[in-house]
Amino acid sequence: MAGFVLRRVLSRAVLVVLAGSLAYLLAAAVLDPRAAFEGRTPRPPEAVVDARLSALNLNDRTPVQDRYVVWVRGVLHGDFGRTQEGEPVNAELWRRLGGSLRLLVPGGVLGGALGILVGAYAAAKRGRVPDRLVTGGACLLLAVPVFVLAVLLQAAAVTVNDVLGVRVFVWVGEGEPRNFADQARHLLLPMATIALAQLALYSRYQRGLMLDVLRADFVRTARAKGLSQRSALLRHGLRAAFVPMTTYFAYASGLLILGGVFTEKVFGRHGMGEWLVDSIARGDVNVVAAIDCVAACVVVLSGLVSDVLNAALDPRVRSEGAA
């Protein structure tokens, strides 16, 4: 198992380097940091703009390969450079990452767990009323854009607050830093938005996997030996269907770090997704590259966790990796 994990770590490390390099080169080639000075009144002299951009390694008149070398040297020392305002990227990066994780981890885990359970239940009740209700609800959620879902939840929360006469739901910002109850009140609606969107995806995927497994020979054999449908489902079907689900869950969780941008925008939470959109608009190359590097690391780490889970659940994966 240790050799399997080591091989996966080495291969994933190469992917992180490639993804980070491509992210920087693409951002440096496309974004225009000079445009941030165009709207200033009075506009700084061209020499001053060049000196400022060169000091931040953002000057588009410097060859991109030279800027890339400077950026790589900084990254190797754990420094992602500075923002257009001259502030260190690192400090803001970790603060934003913490804000995103506080929202996306509970929402993603809750949505994933409920989606797997609901999808398995719908597959077991295939063609019956519960299956139709789950399928219809999931399709409805998938058809509604995330920002529309967030606004609908806010409207429902206003009604609940008015009926109860108490502000149970508060949704702008993250609340008082050291007040856990206040932070929980601020977290409920954005977490529900993330969870509902994830639930719809996972339930559809899990239902399809379960239907394939329930028709498999080993499940029919288990039923022929006298196991009830419930026992065959729990002992054999759910575990077999869970193996491919771990791959989907891991990669979807990694991508969620940037996919929560609409939720962060609507609920005024200052996370990675919001910062990425704002930085692209400003042409802040160092920030965009740093966020992409972190996102690549999260996706690759999620893939590594998925590989380890698959190997733990299915010995054939370990034997294939050793071959």
Side-chain angles (χ1 to χ4, degrees):
M1 189 69 174
F4 172 83
V5 174
L6 181 60
R7 287 192 295 274
R8 288 292 191 273
V9 169
L10 292 177
S11 63
R12 297 299 190 274
V14 174
L15 290 178
V16 169
V17 173
L18 290 175
S21 297
L22 289 174
Y24 178 83
L25 293 173
L26 183 62
V30 174
L31 300 181
D32 183 14
R34 193 175 297 275
F37 295 89
E38 298 293 339
R40 294 187 182 181
T41 304
R43 187 183 185 284
E46 200 67 19
V48 173
V49 174
D50 280 336
R52 176 65 175 172
L53 292 177
S54 295
L56 299 173
N57 192 34
L58 295 173
N59 195 338
D60 54 342
R61 293 173 180 169
T62 302
V64 67
Q65 61 270 24
D66 294 344
R67 284 180 278 156
Y68 172 71
V69 170
V70 173
W71 180 78
V72 169
R73 286 175 181 166
V75 172
L76 290 177
H77 290 84
D79 182 7
F80 282 104
R82 292 182 176 273
T83 67
Q84 282 188 337
E85 292 75 26
E87 299 296 328
V89 172
N90 287 34
E92 185 68 6
L93 180 67
W94 303 128
R95 189 183 72 80
R96 295 273 187 164
L97 180 61
S100 289
L101 293 179
R102 286 194 293 274
L103 167 64
L104 300 177
V105 170
V109 171
L110 180 64
L114 291 177
I116 290 173
L117 294 176
V118 169
Y121 178 72
K125 302 293 183 182
R126 183 187 181 190
R128 303 178 190 175
V129 173
D131 180 29
R132 293 174 182 174
L133 289 177
V134 170
T135 300
C139 291
L140 181 61
L141 282 174
L142 290 173
V144 177
V146 172
F147 57 89
V148 174
L149 178 62
V151 173
L152 291 175
L153 288 178
Q154 287 181 359
V158 170
T159 303
V160 172
N161 287 345
D162 291 342
V163 170
L164 297 179
V166 180
R167 294 192 69 190
V168 177
F169 298 103
V170 184
W171 50 86
V172 178
E174 295 191 42
E176 295 294 330
R178 296 183 180 180
N179 188 335
F180 178 78
D182 189 51
Q183 289 189 354
R185 287 197 309 159
H186 284 78
L187 182 63
L188 285 174
L189 282 191
M191 184 182 70
T193 303
I194 296 288
L196 286 173
Q198 296 296 301
L199 187 153
L201 286 172
Y202 287 117
S203 66
R204 297 299 299 156
Y205 193 55
Q206 179 69 19
R207 180 182 180 276
L209 290 174
M210 285 296 296
L211 289 178
D212 291 338
V213 170
L214 291 177
R215 289 191 289 262
D217 291 339
F218 65 90
V219 174
R220 287 204 296 266
T221 302
R223 292 292 308 278
K225 289 182 177 179
L227 281 182
S228 65
Q229 182 178 0
R230 177 188 176 86
S231 297
L233 174 68
L234 294 178
R235 293 183 186 180
H236 302 283
L238 193 58
R239 177 174 177 173
F242 190 70
V243 173
M245 178 58 82
T246 56
T247 303
Y248 181 78
F249 183 79
Y251 284 104
S253 301
L255 293 172
L256 191 61
I257 196 75
L258 298 180
V261 56
F262 293 114
T263 306
E264 291 177 356
K265 277 288 189 182
V266 171
F267 291 101
R269 302 180 73 92
H270 307 304
M272 295 274 285
E274 183 201 55
W275 199 30
L276 176 63
V277 173
D278 294 342
S279 299
I280 291 175
R282 292 196 310 269
D284 204 331
V285 176
N286 290 336
V287 173
V288 173
I291 294 174
D292 286 342
C293 282
V294 171
C297 290
V298 172
V299 172
V300 169
L301 182 61
S302 301
L304 181 63
V305 172
S306 166
D307 290 342
V308 173
L309 286 176
N310 278 336
L313 293 171
D314 189 351
R316 293 173 299 177
V317 176
R318 295 197 295 272
S319 61
E320 290 172 1

Coordinates of all heavy atoms in Angstrom, one line a residue, residues 226-296:
G226 N -31.1 -16.3 -0.4 CA -32.0 -16.0 0.6 C -31.9 -14.6 1.3 O -32.7 -14.3 2.2
L227 N -31.0 -13.8 0.8 CA -30.9 -12.5 1.4 C -32.1 -11.6 0.9 O -32.5 -11.7 -0.2 CB -29.6 -11.8 1.0 CG -28.3 -12.2 1.7 CD1 -27.1 -11.4 1.2 CD2 -28.4 -11.9 3.2
S228 N -32.6 -10.8 1.8 CA -33.6 -9.9 1.5 C -33.1 -8.8 0.6 O -31.8 -8.6 0.5 CB -34.2 -9.3 2.7 OG -33.3 -8.5 3.4
Q229 N -33.9 -8.1 -0.1 CA -33.5 -7.0 -1.0 C -32.7 -5.9 -0.2 O -31.7 -5.4 -0.6 CB -34.6 -6.3 -1.7 CG -34.2 -5.2 -2.7 CD -35.4 -4.6 -3.4 OE1 -36.5 -5.0 -3.2 NE2 -35.1 -3.7 -4.3
R230 N -33.2 -5.7 1.0 CA -32.5 -4.7 1.9 C -31.1 -5.1 2.2 O -30.2 -4.3 2.1 CB -33.4 -4.5 3.1 CG -32.8 -3.5 4.1 CD -33.6 -3.5 5.4 NE -33.0 -2.7 6.4 CZ -33.2 -1.4 6.6 NH1 -34.0 -0.8 5.7 NH2 -32.6 -0.7 7.5
S231 N -31.0 -6.4 2.6 CA -29.7 -6.9 3.0 C -28.7 -6.9 1.8 O -27.5 -6.6 1.9 CB -29.8 -8.3 3.6 OG -30.6 -8.3 4.8
A232 N -29.2 -7.4 0.7 CA -28.4 -7.4 -0.5 C -27.9 -6.0 -0.9 O -26.8 -5.8 -1.4 CB -29.1 -8.1 -1.7
L233 N -28.8 -5.1 -0.8 CA -28.5 -3.7 -1.1 C -27.4 -3.1 -0.2 O -26.5 -2.5 -0.6 CB -29.8 -2.8 -1.0 CG -29.6 -1.3 -1.2 CD1 -29.2 -1.1 -2.6 CD2 -30.9 -0.6 -0.8
L234 N -27.6 -3.4 1.1 CA -26.6 -2.8 2.1 C -25.3 -3.5 2.1 O -24.2 -2.9 2.1 CB -27.2 -2.8 3.5 CG -28.5 -1.9 3.7 CD1 -29.0 -2.1 5.1 CD2 -28.1 -0.5 3.4
R235 N -25.3 -4.9 2.0 CA -24.1 -5.6 2.1 C -23.3 -5.6 0.8 O -22.0 -5.7 0.8 CB -24.4 -7.1 2.5 CG -25.0 -7.2 3.9 CD -25.2 -8.7 4.2 NE -25.8 -8.9 5.5 CZ -26.1 -10.1 6.1 NH1 -25.8 -11.2 5.4 NH2 -26.7 -10.1 7.2
H236 N -23.9 -5.7 -0.3 CA -23.2 -5.8 -1.6 C -23.4 -4.6 -2.5 O -22.4 -4.1 -3.1 CB -23.7 -7.1 -2.3 CG -23.5 -8.3 -1.4 ND1 -22.3 -9.0 -1.3 CD2 -24.5 -9.0 -0.7 CE1 -22.5 -10.0 -0.5 NE2 -23.8 -10.1 -0.1
G237 N -24.6 -4.2 -2.7 CA -24.8 -3.2 -3.7 C -24.2 -1.8 -3.4 O -23.5 -1.2 -4.2
L238 N -24.5 -1.4 -2.1 CA -24.0 0.0 -1.8 C -22.5 0.1 -1.8 O -21.9 1.1 -2.2 CB -24.5 0.3 -0.4 CG -24.4 1.8 0.1 CD1 -25.2 2.7 -0.9 CD2 -25.0 2.0 1.5
R239 N -21.8 -1.0 -1.3 CA -20.3 -0.9 -1.3 C -19.8 -0.9 -2.7 O -18.8 -0.1 -3.0 CB -19.8 -2.1 -0.5 CG -18.3 -2.1 -0.5 CD -17.7 -3.2 0.4 NE -16.2 -3.3 0.3 CZ -15.5 -4.0 1.0 NH1 -16.0 -4.8 2.0 NH2 -14.2 -4.0 0.9
A240 N -20.3 -1.8 -3.6 CA -19.8 -1.8 -5.0 C -20.0 -0.5 -5.7 O -19.2 0.0 -6.5 CB -20.5 -3.0 -5.7
A241 N -21.2 0.1 -5.4 CA -21.5 1.4 -6.1 C -20.7 2.5 -5.5 O -20.5 3.6 -6.1 CB -23.0 1.7 -6.0
F242 N -20.2 2.4 -4.3 CA -19.5 3.5 -3.6 C -18.1 3.6 -4.1 O -17.5 4.7 -4.1 CB -19.4 3.2 -2.1 CG -18.9 4.3 -1.3 CD1 -19.7 5.5 -1.1 CD2 -17.7 4.3 -0.7 CE1 -19.3 6.6 -0.4 CE2 -17.2 5.4 0.1 CZ -18.0 6.5 0.2
V243 N -17.5 2.6 -4.7 CA -16.1 2.7 -5.2 C -16.0 3.7 -6.3 O -15.2 4.7 -6.2 CB -15.7 1.3 -5.7 CG1 -14.3 1.4 -6.4 CG2 -15.5 0.3 -4.6
P244 N -16.8 3.7 -7.4 CA -16.7 4.8 -8.4 C -17.2 6.1 -7.9 O -16.7 7.1 -8.3 CB -17.6 4.3 -9.6 CG -18.5 3.3 -9.0 CD -17.8 2.6 -7.9
M245 N -18.1 6.1 -6.9 CA -18.6 7.3 -6.3 C -17.5 8.1 -5.6 O -17.4 9.3 -5.6 CB -19.7 7.1 -5.4 CG -20.3 8.3 -4.7 SD -20.9 9.6 -5.9 CE -22.5 8.9 -6.2
T246 N -16.5 7.4 -5.0 CA -15.4 8.1 -4.3 C -14.6 8.9 -5.3 O -14.2 10.0 -5.0 CB -14.5 7.1 -3.6 OG1 -14.0 6.1 -4.6 CG2 -15.2 6.3 -2.5
T247 N -14.4 8.4 -6.5 CA -13.7 9.2 -7.5 C -14.4 10.5 -7.9 O -13.9 11.6 -7.9 CB -13.5 8.4 -8.8 OG1 -12.8 7.2 -8.4 CG2 -12.7 9.1 -9.8
Y248 N -15.7 10.3 -8.1 CA -16.5 11.5 -8.5 C -16.6 12.5 -7.3 O -16.4 13.7 -7.5 CB -17.9 11.0 -8.8 CG -18.8 12.1 -9.2 CD1 -18.8 12.7 -10.5 CD2 -19.8 12.7 -8.3 CE1 -19.6 13.7 -10.9 CE2 -20.6 13.7 -8.7 CZ -20.5 14.2 -10.0 OH -21.3 15.3 -10.3
F249 N -16.8 12.0 -6.1 CA -16.8 12.8 -4.9 C -15.5 13.6 -4.7 O -15.6 14.8 -4.4 CB -17.2 12.0 -3.7 CG -17.3 12.8 -2.4 CD1 -18.5 13.5 -2.2 CD2 -16.3 12.9 -1.5 CE1 -18.7 14.2 -1.0 CE2 -16.5 13.6 -0.3 CZ -17.6 14.3 -0.1
A250 N -14.4 12.9 -4.9 CA -13.1 13.6 -4.6 C -12.9 14.7 -5.6 O -12.5 15.8 -5.2 CB -12.0 12.5 -4.7
Y251 N -13.0 14.4 -6.9 CA -12.7 15.5 -7.9 C -13.8 16.6 -7.8 O -13.4 17.8 -8.0 CB -12.7 14.8 -9.3 CG -11.4 14.1 -9.5 CD1 -11.3 12.7 -9.5 CD2 -10.2 14.8 -9.8 CE1 -10.1 12.0 -9.7 CE2 -9.0 14.1 -10.0 CZ -9.0 12.8 -9.9 OH -7.8 12.1 -10.1
A252 N -15.0 16.3 -7.6 CA -16.0 17.3 -7.5 C -15.8 18.2 -6.3 O -16.0 19.4 -6.3 CB -17.4 16.7 -7.4
S253 N -15.3 17.6 -5.2 CA -15.0 18.4 -4.0 C -13.8 19.4 -4.3 O -13.8 20.5 -3.8 CB -14.6 17.5 -2.8 OG -15.7 16.7 -2.5
G254 N -12.8 18.9 -5.0 CA -11.7 19.7 -5.4 C -12.1 20.9 -6.2 O -11.7 22.1 -6.0
L255 N -13.0 20.7 -7.2 CA -13.4 21.7 -8.1 C -14.3 22.7 -7.4 O -14.5 23.8 -7.8 CB -14.1 21.1 -9.3 CG -13.2 20.3 -10.3 CD1 -14.0 19.6 -11.3 CD2 -12.1 21.2 -10.9
L256 N -15.0 22.2 -6.3 CA -15.9 23.1 -5.6 C -15.3 24.3 -5.0 O -15.9 25.3 -4.8 CB -16.6 22.3 -4.5 CG -17.8 22.9 -3.8 CD1 -18.9 23.1 -4.9 CD2 -18.3 22.0 -2.7
I257 N -13.9 24.3 -4.8 CA -13.2 25.4 -4.2 C -13.4 26.6 -5.0 O -13.3 27.7 -4.5 CB -11.7 25.0 -4.0 CG1 -11.1 26.0 -3.0 CG2 -11.0 25.0 -5.3 CD1 -11.4 25.7 -1.6
L258 N -13.5 26.5 -6.3 CA -13.7 27.6 -7.2 C -15.2 27.7 -7.6 O -15.6 28.8 -8.0 CB -12.8 27.5 -8.5 CG -11.3 27.5 -8.2 CD1 -10.6 27.4 -9.5 CD2 -10.9 28.8 -7.5
G259 N -15.9 26.6 -7.6 CA -17.3 26.6 -8.1 C -18.2 27.3 -7.2 O -19.4 27.6 -7.5
G260 N -17.8 27.6 -5.9 CA -18.7 28.3 -5.0 C -18.7 29.8 -5.2 O -19.2 30.5 -4.3
V261 N -18.2 30.3 -6.3 CA -18.1 31.7 -6.5 C -19.5 32.4 -6.5 O -19.6 33.5 -5.8 CB -17.4 32.0 -7.8 CG1 -18.1 31.4 -9.0 CG2 -17.3 33.5 -8.0
F262 N -20.5 31.8 -7.1 CA -21.8 32.5 -7.1 C -22.4 32.5 -5.6 O -23.0 33.6 -5.2 CB -22.8 31.7 -8.0 CG -22.4 31.8 -9.4 CD1 -22.0 30.7 -10.1 CD2 -22.4 33.0 -10.1 CE1 -21.7 30.8 -11.5 CE2 -22.1 33.2 -11.4 CZ -21.7 32.0 -12.1
T263 N -22.2 31.5 -4.9 CA -22.7 31.4 -3.5 C -22.0 32.5 -2.7 O -22.6 33.2 -1.9 CB -22.5 30.0 -2.9 OG1 -23.1 29.1 -3.8 CG2 -23.2 30.0 -1.5
E264 N -20.7 32.6 -2.9 CA -19.9 33.6 -2.1 C -20.3 35.0 -2.5 O -20.4 35.9 -1.6 CB -18.4 33.4 -2.4 CG -17.9 32.1 -1.8 CD -16.4 31.9 -2.1 OE1 -15.8 32.7 -2.9 OE2 -15.8 30.9 -1.6
K265 N -20.6 35.2 -3.7 CA -21.0 36.6 -4.2 C -22.4 36.9 -3.6 O -22.6 38.0 -3.1 CB -21.0 36.6 -5.7 CG -19.7 36.9 -6.4 CD -19.2 38.3 -6.2 CE -18.0 38.6 -7.0 NZ -17.6 40.0 -6.8
V266 N -23.3 36.0 -3.7 CA -24.7 36.3 -3.3 C -24.8 36.6 -1.8 O -25.5 37.4 -1.3 CB -25.6 35.2 -3.7 CG1 -27.0 35.4 -3.1 CG2 -25.8 35.1 -5.3
F267 N -24.0 35.8 -1.0 CA -24.1 35.9 0.4 C -23.0 36.7 1.0 O -22.8 36.7 2.3 CB -24.1 34.5 1.0 CG -25.3 33.7 0.7 CD1 -25.3 32.7 -0.2 CD2 -26.5 33.9 1.4 CE1 -26.4 31.9 -0.5 CE2 -27.6 33.2 1.2 CZ -27.6 32.2 0.2
G268 N -22.2 37.4 0.2 CA -21.2 38.4 0.7 C -20.1 37.7 1.5 O -19.6 38.3 2.5
R269 N -19.7 36.5 1.1 CA -18.7 35.8 1.8 C -17.4 35.9 1.0 O -17.4 35.7 -0.2 CB -19.0 34.3 2.1 CG -20.3 34.1 2.9 CD -20.6 32.7 3.1 NE -19.7 32.1 4.0 CZ -19.9 32.0 5.3 NH1 -21.1 32.5 5.8 NH2 -19.1 31.4 6.1
H270 N -16.3 36.4 1.6 CA -15.1 36.7 0.9 C -14.1 35.5 0.8 O -13.2 35.4 1.5 CB -14.4 37.9 1.6 CG -15.3 39.1 1.8 ND1 -16.0 39.7 0.7 CD2 -15.7 39.7 2.9 CE1 -16.8 40.7 1.2 NE2 -16.6 40.7 2.5
G271 N -14.5 34.6 -0.1 CA -13.7 33.4 -0.3 C -12.8 33.5 -1.5 O -12.6 34.5 -2.2
M272 N -12.3 32.3 -1.9 CA -11.4 32.2 -3.1 C -12.1 32.5 -4.4 O -11.5 33.1 -5.3 CB -10.8 30.8 -3.1 CG -9.9 30.4 -1.9 SD -8.2 30.9 -2.2 CE -7.8 29.6 -3.4
G273 N -13.3 32.0 -4.5 CA -14.0 32.2 -5.8 C -14.3 33.7 -6.1 O -14.0 34.2 -7.2
E274 N -14.7 34.4 -5.0 CA -15.0 35.8 -5.2 C -13.7 36.6 -5.5 O -13.6 37.4 -6.4 CB -15.6 36.4 -3.9 CG -15.9 37.9 -4.0 CD -16.0 38.5 -2.6 OE1 -15.0 38.4 -1.9 OE2 -17.0 39.1 -2.4
W275 N -12.6 36.2 -4.8 CA -11.3 36.9 -5.1 C -10.8 36.6 -6.5 O -10.2 37.5 -7.1 CB -10.3 36.4 -4.0 CG -9.1 37.2 -3.9 CD1 -9.0 38.6 -4.0 CD2 -7.8 36.8 -3.5 NE1 -7.8 39.1 -3.8 CE2 -7.0 38.0 -3.4 CE3 -7.2 35.6 -3.2 CZ2 -5.6 38.0 -3.1 CZ3 -5.9 35.6 -2.8 CH2 -5.1 36.7 -2.8
L276 N -11.0 35.4 -7.0 CA -10.5 35.0 -8.3 C -11.3 35.9 -9.4 O -10.6 36.5 -10.3 CB -10.8 33.6 -8.6 CG -10.5 33.1 -10.1 CD1 -9.0 33.2 -10.3 CD2 -10.9 31.6 -10.3
V277 N -12.6 36.0 -9.3 CA -13.3 36.8 -10.2 C -12.9 38.3 -10.2 O -12.6 38.9 -11.2 CB -14.8 36.7 -9.9 CG1 -15.6 37.7 -10.8 CG2 -15.3 35.3 -10.2
D278 N -12.7 38.8 -9.0 CA -12.3 40.2 -8.8 C -10.9 40.4 -9.4 O -10.6 41.5 -10.0 CB -12.4 40.7 -7.4 CG -13.8 40.7 -6.8 OD1 -14.7 40.7 -7.7 OD2 -13.9 40.7 -5.6
S279 N -10.0 39.5 -9.2 CA -8.6 39.6 -9.6 C -8.5 39.5 -11.2 O -7.7 40.2 -11.8 CB -7.7 38.5 -9.0 OG -7.8 38.6 -7.6
I280 N -9.3 38.6 -11.8 CA -9.3 38.6 -13.2 C -9.8 39.9 -13.8 O -9.2 40.4 -14.8 CB -10.3 37.4 -13.7 CG1 -9.7 36.1 -13.3 CG2 -10.5 37.5 -15.2 CD1 -10.5 34.9 -13.6
A281 N -10.8 40.5 -13.2 CA -11.3 41.8 -13.7 C -10.2 42.9 -13.6 O -10.1 43.8 -14.4 CB -12.5 42.2 -12.9
R282 N -9.3 42.8 -12.5 CA -8.3 43.8 -12.3 C -7.0 43.5 -13.1 O -6.1 44.3 -13.2 CB -7.9 43.9 -10.9 CG -9.0 44.5 -10.0 CD -8.4 44.9 -8.6 NE -7.6 43.8 -8.0 CZ -8.1 42.9 -7.2 NH1 -9.3 43.0 -6.9 NH2 -7.3 42.0 -6.7
G283 N -6.9 42.2 -13.7 CA -5.7 41.8 -14.4 C -4.6 41.5 -13.4 O -3.4 41.7 -13.8
D284 N -4.9 41.0 -12.2 CA -3.9 40.8 -11.2 C -3.3 39.4 -11.4 O -3.8 38.4 -10.9 CB -4.5 40.9 -9.8 CG -3.5 41.2 -8.7 OD1 -2.3 40.8 -8.9 OD2 -3.8 41.9 -7.7
V285 N -2.2 39.3 -12.2 CA -1.7 38.0 -12.6 C -1.2 37.1 -11.4 O -1.5 35.9 -11.4 CB -0.5 38.2 -13.6 CG1 0.1 36.9 -14.0 CG2 -1.0 39.0 -14.8
N286 N -0.5 37.7 -10.5 CA 0.0 36.9 -9.4 C -1.1 36.3 -8.5 O -1.0 35.1 -8.1 CB 0.9 37.8 -8.5 CG 2.2 38.2 -9.2 OD1 2.7 37.5 -10.1 ND2 2.8 39.3 -8.8
V287 N -2.2 37.0 -8.3 CA -3.3 36.5 -7.5 C -4.0 35.3 -8.3 O -4.2 34.3 -7.7 CB -4.3 37.6 -7.2 CG1 -5.5 37.0 -6.5 CG2 -3.7 38.6 -6.3
V288 N -4.2 35.5 -9.6 CA -4.9 34.5 -10.4 C -4.1 33.2 -10.4 O -4.6 32.1 -10.3 CB -5.2 35.0 -11.8 CG1 -5.7 33.9 -12.7 CG2 -6.2 36.2 -11.8
A289 N -2.7 33.4 -10.6 CA -1.9 32.2 -10.7 C -1.8 31.5 -9.3 O -1.8 30.3 -9.3 CB -0.5 32.7 -11.1
A290 N -1.8 32.3 -8.2 CA -1.7 31.7 -6.9 C -3.0 30.9 -6.6 O -3.0 29.7 -6.1 CB -1.5 32.7 -5.9
I291 N -4.2 31.4 -7.0 CA -5.4 30.7 -6.7 C -5.5 29.5 -7.6 O -5.9 28.4 -7.1 CB -6.6 31.7 -7.0 CG1 -6.6 32.8 -6.0 CG2 -7.9 30.9 -7.0 CD1 -7.7 33.9 -6.3
D292 N -5.1 29.6 -8.8 CA -5.1 28.4 -9.7 C -4.1 27.3 -9.2 O -4.4 26.1 -9.3 CB -4.7 28.8 -11.1 CG -5.8 29.5 -11.8 OD1 -6.9 29.4 -11.4 OD2 -5.5 30.2 -12.8
C293 N -3.0 27.7 -8.6 CA -2.1 26.7 -8.1 C -2.7 26.0 -6.9 O -2.6 24.8 -6.7 CB -0.8 27.4 -7.6 SG 0.3 27.8 -9.0
V294 N -3.4 26.8 -6.0 CA -4.0 26.2 -4.8 C -5.1 25.2 -5.3 O -5.3 24.1 -4.8 CB -4.6 27.3 -3.9 CG1 -5.4 26.6 -2.8 CG2 -3.4 28.0 -3.3
A295 N -5.9 25.7 -6.3 CA -7.0 24.9 -6.8 C -6.5 23.6 -7.4 O -7.0 22.5 -7.2 CB -7.8 25.6 -7.8
A296 N -5.3 23.7 -8.1 CA -4.7 22.5 -8.7 C -4.3 21.5 -7.6 O -4.5 20.3 -7.7 CB -3.5 22.9 -9.6

